[in-house]
Amino acid sequence: MAIATLGVTVLDCPNPRELAAFYAAVLDWRIDDDGDPDGEWIELVGPNGPQLAFQRSVGYQPPRWPSTEQPQQFHLDFQVPRERMDAAEKEVIRLGARLLEDDHGGKRNWRVYADPVGHPFCLCAC
């Protein structure tokens, strides 16, 4: 028997509403900020309820990927059909992501990006 179940994954950031909007567009999930009118904590509701949240962190410093001086600590992987990888890349960049590392000419099944505040994430071919 499990001791607990996983709730929501939380990302620190300077502006929770802005970062939530980025991930809401990537995932086509709904933003729920009803519980916090000050915008200190914003949740994204996916098909299984709240799954990502964003909390304001005063003095936030983004990870420096792939450096260990300010390590990524964790990253998110998003699955994308292989034939949609190029289109998905264009969309996340349009939304404010930046490419950190490509798929080495198709030799790997993933590409690494930074979200608008620097958290690394991958688009992974499935």
Side-chain angles (χ1 to χ4, degrees), residues 12 15 18 33 37 43 51 53 55-56 61 69-70 81 96 100 103 105-106 111-112 120 123 125:
D12 287 351
N15 187 319
E18 286 180 7
D33 60 0
E43 292 183 343
Q51 293 179 274
Q55 70 180 3
R56 186 175 316 282
Q61 294 294 314
E69 292 176 22
Q70 243 170 274
L100 296 176
D103 59 7
R111 300 173 188 173
V112 184
L123 294 181

Side-chain angles (χ1 to χ4, degrees), residues 67-85:
S67 170
T68 57
E69 292 176 22
Q70 243 170 274
Q72 67 175 330
Q73 299 178 6
F74 79 97
H75 71 271
L76 300 169
D77 284 348
F78 299 110
Q79 294 183 318
V80 176
R82 184 175 304 284
E83 64 274 8
R84 291 224 358 96
M85 284 290 283

Side-chain angles (χ1 to χ4, degrees), residues 34-54:
D34 294 339
D36 187 356
D38 296 328
E40 298 293 313
W41 177 276
I42 306 294
E43 292 183 343
L44 282 189
V45 180
N48 299 313
Q51 293 179 274
L52 277 177
F54 307 89

Side-chain angles (χ1 to χ4, degrees), residues 9-37:
T9 300
V10 183
L11 284 79
D12 287 351
C13 59
N15 187 319
R17 279 195 178 98
E18 286 180 7
L19 195 57
F22 170 80
Y23 283 104
V26 169
L27 296 165
D28 194 26
W29 289 0
R30 179 177 59 82
I31 295 174
D32 178 6
D33 60 0
D34 294 339
D36 187 356

